[in-house]
């Protein structure tokens, strides 16, 4: 069978699951008692869509936070995910919950403000995507009404747009142009009874509220049918009006123009036209409506009309500052005027998005104290501020997205997983000036360098504790702690100012993206033509280009340029340390202490301190072996010399080390797992900082002790048959096979490191 047929069938199934057959008003009421969420008012519906996606735990600014997955754009594989700003988004959801429940903030217009390239545009797309997909689910179904007032009486023109079709023809059904809520068809007292009973049965702190009257178009149809059946003496007047031949409830998929209104920066026209639409004057002669303007002749293409029922977004609100004052009473009164004699109720969550320039416009009369004409508007705005990312992992993820089009949101069980992604290389295929495609590689740590530098430019240095620099602060914000040798200091041990200027300004991701893109397209003079790929962009290339580009970038002031230039040095030092660590670990990879040896040491130390029983392989109880502990501490830890032991017995310095570094970590682990049967055999050895160091890191002393004839000065071109040549070959292979380097980036990175080490090699 042709593959095209399969795809068409899949599309059929997808639409079948999305849409339902129209139902009667009575059937709809039965349905809402089975599933109350389908009747939710706008703010409650938006809240339910966000909460339906569940949450996940993230670390931002060094603290664990629960993040709503809705903002990860999960239905779109993360394409428009909002990275970071979790606390701001959580505040938005909290306010939305208050608005939905009618508590205090229901007159507010939600305002998202922040500098360029902070994710505000992604917020709009994420909201639209999330609402669209939620409305396709059973709990998220959205409904409105459609009318058919065509009769068999040829003399009755009704509300059709011409033609003499019967009531059964689909062309005679007209949907409410503003997604009117089906319950708005009921008289107020009946609707109140329905909602009272629904909310009594609803186990939710946010009751369903439907206060809107029928929209003008639907009111015209309702009045027409009411007048007709009253003239005919119909006893059950509402039943006749709501009969399935005249009124149907249908579901729709929420999208821009139907449930979501988006006013773009380039949209223009008079305020009323932008808000609700305009009269189509040419049609007023054709459509009879008892001597007054006919709502059929109104174009409901304004932002409030399109967003009625769910969400109204004003994008780049500074371009529509004149409109904001016209929106003042919409949250309060939930209505707008189409014309002097015709109004329209709206149920829409208002949300505006702007750069900081809107705030400047709002504050232009602030010095007039109580006479500020914009005071009423400012009182109604509920501000949420997006800032630049201050997490290294998030900024790295964002840069990779910009360069490669990767969209999946990073999730990890531990920070070590994130660390691997942060340091990873990026390879991009580009066309050179000769038109030929070539592979360009950002070496390991190159994207990390760009991200770290960007984050460092955004951090406030006023609250730095003594002994820390901005790189340390960036690491604390990303990991939640700072590892200093054997010591680990948690974020709450540092007195950072929660109200500081972190994320208020700095290098935007667009500048980083453009700088890296230029590096990809630059045909640089390569000093190493023997390397197996055409070009490698090293971390130092990235940092140098970012600093050099500051002078010509119009987005930065002279003060910012000077400040940002001064912040690159600690970033370069940190990145070099990471490269150096990679090279050392690659050299020593086959010389690592095996985990069994480490575990044996930990068990002996634990038994030595606690008198806990210790058993050998035959199950016989044995005493802690002082020689084994000594050899491990001298040879593997490299912490102590023979002079710090009396025979095999440790002096005070060694005993303190065992208690403070090993036993304390084990006790902490036991406390954290106090609900389980604690056993030293169950301990994750990498949870003990000093042991993690033994298992995972080495230094140049280890290299020199292990390879006595090694000489880093020979690294670029080592003589064959020498120990240096063997070490280099094995090191390059390890960096490629295990650390993600290409052969070229491994060569360049190791040469750079060895060039620095040669100066201090004894």
């Amino acid at each position: 069978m042709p593959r095209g047929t399969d795809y068409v069938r899949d599309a059929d199934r997808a639409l079948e699951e999305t849409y339902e057959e129209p139902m009667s008003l009575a059937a709809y009421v039965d349905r809402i008692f089975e599933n109350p969420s389908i009747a939710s008012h706008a703010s409650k519906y938006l809240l339910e869509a966000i909460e339906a996606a569940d949450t996940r735990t993230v670390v931002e600014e060094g603290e664990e936070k629960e993040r709503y997955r809705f903002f990860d754009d999960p239905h779109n594989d993360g394409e428009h995910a909002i990275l970071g700003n979790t606390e701001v988004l959580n505040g938005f959801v909290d306010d939305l919950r208050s608005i939905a429940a009618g508590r205090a903030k229901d007159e507010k217009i939600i305002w998202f403000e922040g500098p360029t390239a902070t994710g505000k545009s992604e917020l709009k797309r994420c909201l639209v995507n999330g609402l669209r997909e939620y409305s396709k689910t059973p709990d998220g179904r959205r409904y409105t009404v459609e009318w058919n007032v065509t009769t068999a009486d040829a003399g009755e023109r009704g509300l059709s747009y011409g033609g003499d079709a019967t009531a059964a023809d689909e062309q005679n059904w007209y949907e409410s142009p503003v997604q009117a809520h089906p319950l708005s068809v009921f008289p107020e007292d009946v609707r109140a009874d329905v909602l009272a009973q629904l909310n009594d049965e609803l186990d939710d702190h946010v009751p369903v509220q439907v206060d809107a009257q029928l929209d003008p178009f639907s009111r015209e149809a309702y009045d027409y049918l009411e007048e007709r059946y009253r003239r005919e003496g119909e006893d059950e007047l509402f039943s006749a009006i709501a009969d399935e031949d005249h009124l149907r409830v249908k579901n729709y998929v929420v999208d821009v123009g139907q449930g979501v209104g988006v006013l773009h920066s380039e949209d223009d026209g008079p305020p009323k036209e932008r808000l609700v639409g305009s009269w189509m004057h040419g049609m007023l002669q054709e459509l009879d409506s008892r001597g007054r303007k006919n709502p059929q002749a109104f174009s409901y293409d304004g932002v409030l009309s399109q967003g009625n029922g769910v969400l109204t977004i004003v994008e780049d609100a500074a371009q529509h500052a004149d409109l904001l004052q016209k929106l003042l009473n919409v949250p309060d009164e939930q209505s707008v005027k189409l014309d002097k004699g015709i109004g329209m109720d709206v149920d829409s969550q208002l949300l505006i998005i702007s750069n900081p320039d809107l705030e400047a416009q709002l504050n232009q009369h602030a010095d007039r104290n109580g006479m500020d004409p914009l005071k009423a508007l400012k009182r109604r705005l509920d501000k949420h501020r997006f800032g630049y990312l201050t997490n290294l992992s998030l900024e790295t993820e964002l840069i990779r997205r910009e360069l490669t089009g990767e969209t999946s949101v990073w999730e990890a069980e531990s920070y070590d997983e994130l660390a691997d992604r942060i340091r990873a290389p990026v390879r991009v295929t580009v066309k050179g000036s000769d038109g030929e495609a070539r592979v360009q590689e950002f070496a390991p740590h190159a994207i990390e360098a760009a991200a770290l530098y960007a984050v460092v430019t955004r951090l406030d240095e006023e609250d730095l504790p003594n002994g820390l620099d901005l790189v340390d602060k960036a690491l604390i914000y990303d990991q939640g702690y700072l590892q200093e040798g054997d010591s680990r200091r948690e974020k709450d041990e540092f007195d950072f100012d929660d109200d500081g200027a972190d994320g208020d300004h700095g290098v935007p991701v667009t500048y980083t993206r453009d700088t890296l893109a230029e590096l990809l397209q630059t045909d640089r003079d390569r000093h190493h033509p023997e390397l197996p790929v055409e070009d490698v962009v090293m971390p130092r290339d990235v940092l140098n280009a970012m600093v050099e580009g500051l002078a010509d970038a119009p987005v930065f002031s002279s003060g910012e340029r000077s400040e940002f230039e001064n912040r690159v040095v600690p970033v370069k030092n940190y990145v070099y340390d990471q490269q150096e660590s990679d090279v050392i670990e690659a050299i020593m990879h086959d010389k690592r202490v095996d985990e069994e040896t480490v575990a044996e040491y930990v068990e002996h130390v634990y038994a030595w301190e606690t008198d806990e029983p210790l058993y050998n392989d035959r199950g016989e109880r044995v005493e802690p072996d002082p020689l084994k502990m000594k050899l491990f501490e001298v040879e593997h830890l490299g912490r102590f010399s023979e002079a710090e032991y009396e025979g095999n017995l440790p002096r005070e310095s060694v005993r303190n080390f065992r208690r403070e570094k090993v036993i304390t970590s084990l006790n902490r682990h036991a406390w954290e797992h106090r609900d389980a049967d604690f056993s030293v055999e169950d301990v994750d050895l990498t949870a003990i900082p000093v042991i993690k160091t033994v298992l995972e890191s080495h230094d140049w002393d280890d290299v020199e002790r292990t390879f006595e004839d090694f000489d880093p000065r020979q690294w670029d071109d080592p003589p064959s048959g020498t120990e240096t040549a063997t070490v280099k070959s094995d090191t390059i292979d390890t960096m490629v096979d295990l650390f993600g380097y290409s052969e070229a980036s491994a060569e360049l990175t190791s040469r750079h490191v060895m060039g620095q080490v040669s100066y201090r090699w004894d």
Side-chain angles (χ1 to χ4, degrees):
M1 181 181 293
R3 284 180 292 180
T5 303
D6 293 337
Y7 290 128
V8 170
R9 187 179 296 114
D10 290 344
D12 286 337
R13 280 196 292 268
L15 292 180
E16 285 172 9
E17 295 171 0
T18 300
Y19 295 101
E20 302 173 357
E21 289 295 320
M23 70 184 86
S24 68
L25 185 62
Y28 170 77
V29 174
D30 291 338
R31 183 76 63 85
I32 67 175
F33 279 97
E34 297 171 2
N35 186 1
S37 65
I38 64 176
S40 296
H41 52 287
S43 53
K44 179 176 171 64
Y45 183 80
L46 177 54
L47 176 66
E48 289 169 339
I50 294 170
E51 292 180 333
D54 208 359
T55 62
R56 65 184 177 95
T57 303
V58 298
V59 174
E60 289 181 24
E61 294 189 345
E63 298 177 3
E64 282 195 356
K65 299 171 183 177
E66 286 300 307
R67 176 181 175 84
Y68 289 97
R69 290 182 181 272
F70 180 92
F71 300 112
D72 294 337
D73 197 16
H75 299 291
N76 216 30
D77 194 29
E79 181 177 356
H80 298 297
I82 306 161
L83 300 185
N85 286 296
T86 293
E87 194 167 338
V88 178
L89 294 169
N90 287 349
F92 161 55
V93 177
D94 290 342
D95 286 351
L96 194 60
R97 192 172 290 111
S98 296
I99 292 170
R103 296 193 301 264
K105 290 197 172 187
D106 51 344
E107 85 285 359
K108 293 288 188 178
I109 299 172
I110 293 175
W111 175 21
F112 278 93
E113 184 256 14
T116 182
T118 50
K120 301 187 302 299
S121 295
E122 301 305 314
L123 172 66
K124 177 198 71 175
R125 297 184 181 99
C126 189
L127 287 169
V128 173
N129 289 342
L131 288 168
R132 182 196 304 116
E133 298 305 319
Y134 179 64
S135 70
K136 297 177 182 178
T137 67
D139 289 340
R141 291 277 196 264
R142 210 65 179 143
Y143 295 88
T144 187
V145 294
E146 55 181 358
W147 300 88
N148 187 339
V149 297
T150 306
T151 69
D153 184 350
E156 295 282 357
R157 183 179 179 87
L159 290 185
S160 69
Y161 285 92
D164 298 319
T166 66
D169 292 336
E170 287 296 318
Q171 66 180 354
N172 293 313
W173 285 97
Y174 296 101
E175 184 179 336
S176 163
V178 293
Q179 305 82 234
H181 197 294
L183 291 184
S184 63
V185 177
F186 285 104
E188 283 188 43
D189 54 344
V190 177
R191 182 170 70 239
D193 290 343
V194 172
L195 290 172
Q197 186 175 346
L198 180 67
N199 288 321
D200 283 344
E201 298 180 14
L202 182 63
D203 184 21
D204 194 339
H205 62 284
V206 179
V208 176
Q209 304 171 35
V210 182
D211 300 322
Q213 303 299 315
L214 280 174
D215 63 277
F217 180 88
S218 298
R219 172 55 60 185
E220 186 81 3
Y222 185 100
D223 290 347
Y224 176 84
L225 293 168
E226 181 183 34
E227 182 179 342
R228 173 189 166 184
Y229 285 114
R230 191 177 66 250
R231 277 201 320 264
E232 293 179 0
E234 177 64 54
D235 293 333
E236 297 178 334
L237 190 55
F238 186 81
S239 295
I241 296 170
D243 185 87
E244 288 184 78
D245 284 342
H246 297 307
L247 173 66
R248 299 191 309 203
V249 177
K250 64 170 291 187
N251 81 298
Y252 65 93
V253 174
V254 173
D255 209 336
V256 175
Q258 191 161 34
V260 176
V262 179
L263 188 62
H264 303 282
S265 58
E266 65 270 19
D267 293 338
D268 56 12
K272 185 172 291 186
E273 190 172 309
R274 283 177 280 163
L275 282 174
V276 288
S278 60
W279 295 105
M280 296 181 290
H281 300 286
M283 295 188 68
L284 294 180
Q285 300 301 317
E286 288 185 37
L287 300 172
D288 177 29
S289 186
R290 300 189 298 280
R292 64 185 178 89
K293 287 182 178 178
N294 188 338
Q296 283 180 273
F298 193 81
S299 174
Y300 294 86
D301 58 359
V303 66
L304 286 172
S305 299
Q306 295 175 356
N308 188 49
V310 185
L311 176 67
T312 295
I313 302 173
V314 179
E315 187 182 48
D316 196 6
Q319 301 296 320
H320 299 285
D322 63 321
L323 194 68
L324 298 183
Q325 293 191 70
K326 303 291 184 181
L327 289 170
L328 282 184
N329 293 328
V330 173
D332 291 348
E333 301 173 7
Q334 295 188 320
S335 67
V336 289
K337 282 286 188 72
L338 302 185
D339 197 43
K340 292 180 180 178
I342 302 176
M344 183 177 80
D345 286 355
V346 290
D347 174 30
S348 185
Q349 179 56 55
L350 290 172
L351 187 151
I352 68 172
I353 300 172
S354 79
N355 289 329
D357 48 355
L358 175 62
E359 187 158 23
Q361 292 187 47
L362 295 176
N363 290 330
Q364 60 182 310
H365 305 296
D367 57 349
R368 295 169 62 175
N369 298 321
M371 303 301 291
D372 185 351
L374 299 177
K375 190 173 183 178
L377 171 59
K378 290 190 284 189
R379 182 180 65 81
R380 282 176 169 81
L381 293 175
D382 186 19
K383 183 178 177 182
H384 300 271
R385 190 177 192 283
F386 271 4
Y388 288 121
L389 298 178
T390 54
N391 274 57
L392 171 60
S393 54
L394 289 172
E395 186 68 13
T396 305
E397 181 180 358
L398 182 57
I399 294 171
R400 290 181 69 102
R401 281 169 166 259
E402 294 285 336
L403 287 175
T404 68
E406 298 173 4
T407 60
S408 296
V409 174
W410 288 4
E411 294 188 48
E413 294 295 324
S414 68
Y415 189 79
D416 286 343
E417 287 184 44
L418 282 180
D420 288 341
R421 296 178 185 179
I422 291 168
R423 65 179 294 283
V426 171
R427 296 180 179 97
V428 184
T429 301
V430 298
K431 281 190 176 182
S433 56
D434 56 2
E436 294 293 323
R438 68 178 188 272
V439 175
Q440 297 268 68
E441 177 189 3
F442 285 102
H445 303 295
I447 303 302
E448 176 183 17
L452 181 59
Y453 178 57
V455 168
V456 161
T457 65
R458 302 167 185 171
L459 296 178
D460 186 354
E461 60 184 352
E462 296 298 323
D463 60 356
L464 276 178
N466 289 336
L468 296 191
D469 61 21
L470 287 172
V471 169
D472 294 325
K473 185 175 183 179
L475 296 177
I476 293 168
Y477 274 12
D478 204 42
Q479 302 171 158
Y481 61 87
L482 185 65
Q483 191 75 39
E484 298 173 319
D486 298 334
S487 301
R488 173 165 161 164
R489 300 174 64 189
E490 302 296 331
K491 195 248 184 178
D492 55 15
E493 298 179 39
F494 301 98
D495 188 21
F496 293 126
D497 184 2
D498 292 336
D499 297 322
D502 295 327
D504 285 354
H505 73 298
V507 170
V509 70
T510 47
Y511 173 78
T512 305
R513 176 201 63 202
D514 294 345
T515 301
L516 298 185
E518 288 179 13
L519 283 173
L520 286 176
Q521 296 298 333
T522 301
D523 293 322
R524 292 188 302 283
D525 176 26
R526 295 205 293 104
H527 301 294
H528 308 287
E530 75 280 7
L531 297 181
V533 296
E534 294 193 31
D535 209 352
V536 177
V537 181
M538 298 294 289
R540 58 184 180 275
D541 297 329
V542 168
L543 293 174
N544 289 339
M546 290 185 71
V547 172
E548 289 166 6
L550 294 173
D552 298 324
V555 70
F556 303 120
S557 67
S558 57
E560 287 176 321
R561 292 186 187 103
S562 176
E563 178 185 354
F564 298 163
E565 286 172 0
N566 293 332
R567 294 190 177 191
V568 76
V569 173
V571 177
K572 286 185 173 181
N573 293 338
Y574 172 81
V575 172
Y576 171 77
D577 289 343
Q578 298 302 104
Q579 293 175 303
E580 183 181 47
S581 176
D582 284 355
V583 173
I584 294 175
E585 293 311 308
I587 293 173
M588 297 295 297
H589 180 73
D590 292 333
K591 306 298 181 183
R592 287 171 176 265
V593 184
D594 62 86
E595 193 161 329
E596 290 76 13
T597 301
V598 178
E600 183 181 44
Y601 167 74
V602 172
E603 290 170 5
H604 279 252
V605 170
Y606 191 71
W608 167 80
E609 171 65 16
T610 63
D611 293 327
E612 191 78 11
L614 185 66
Y615 300 94
N616 62 19
D617 294 339
R618 296 187 297 275
E620 300 166 342
R621 181 164 180 172
V622 296
E623 295 299 317
D625 190 331
L627 177 59
K628 284 185 177 180
M629 290 185 281
K630 171 186 172 181
L631 290 176
F632 188 91
E633 289 158 351
V634 173
E635 295 180 5
H636 298 312
L637 288 181
R639 299 289 296 255
F640 305 105
S641 66
E642 291 281 350
E644 292 173 278
Y645 299 83
E646 295 178 1
N648 294 329
L649 299 178
R651 295 184 183 275
E652 186 66 23
S653 58
V654 181
R655 293 199 298 270
N656 288 339
F657 166 79
R658 292 177 183 176
R659 293 186 179 112
E660 294 173 7
K661 300 301 183 183
V662 180
I663 299 300
T664 299
S665 294
L666 286 172
N667 288 339
R668 183 185 301 116
H669 195 281
W671 172 253
E672 292 171 351
H673 297 81
R674 58 192 179 279
D675 293 334
D677 293 330
F678 174 73
S679 171
V680 69
E681 289 87 355
D682 299 328
V683 174
D684 175 10
L685 295 175
T686 59
I688 306 174
V690 68
I691 301 303
K692 181 181 175 75
T693 300
V694 174
L695 287 172
E696 299 181 358
S697 64
H698 298 87
D699 57 25
W700 291 113
D701 289 338
D702 296 322
V703 174
E704 187 174 16
R705 186 169 61 248
T706 305
F707 304 101
E708 295 181 358
D709 295 327
F710 173 73
D711 186 352
R713 291 163 292 198
Q714 298 177 341
W715 188 270
D716 285 6
D717 189 18
S720 61
T722 62
E723 187 171 45
T724 303
T726 302
V727 169
K728 178 175 181 178
S729 176
D730 292 342
T731 299
I732 297 296
D733 289 344
T734 300
M735 293 176 74
V736 172
D737 294 340
L738 300 181
F739 294 179
Y741 284 82
S742 68
E743 190 174 340
S745 58
E747 177 72 36
L748 289 177
T749 300
S750 61
R751 287 187 185 188
H752 176 54
V753 169
M754 292 301 174
Q756 300 299 312
V757 173
S758 297
Y759 292 116
R760 59 179 188 268
W761 193 260
D762 185 0

